[in-house]
Amino acid sequence: MAVNETVIALIRPKPDLGMVTGKPAEAVAAAGAVVDAPEGIGILASYATEVALR
């Protein structure tokens, strides 16, 4: 599955910001971050799946 996720991340189109109008602020911020991100797959740490627990 990790290979599939990597391929999808490489070919995923950037989101249309017009489609997140009226959505929660977190969704708008996440879509904006993807649009503003540089091309390529980024750093390895950006693909971490671990979540810190309290």
Side-chain angles (χ1 to χ4, degrees), residues 1-14 34 37-44 46-47:
M1 289 303 289
V3 173
N4 293 343
E5 292 174 0
T6 302
V7 171
I8 290 169
L10 290 170
I11 63 174
R12 180 181 309 148
K14 294 195 182 240
V34 172
E39 295 295 324
I41 62 170
I43 61 172
L44 185 59
S46 66
Y47 290 93

Side-chain angles (χ1 to χ4, degrees), residues 16-52:
D16 178 9
L17 292 180
M19 296 184 74
V20 293
T21 306
K23 301 291 182 191
E26 296 85 10
V28 175
V34 172
V35 169
D36 295 336
E39 295 295 324
I41 62 170
I43 61 172
L44 185 59
S46 66
Y47 290 93
T49 58
E50 293 81 14
V51 176

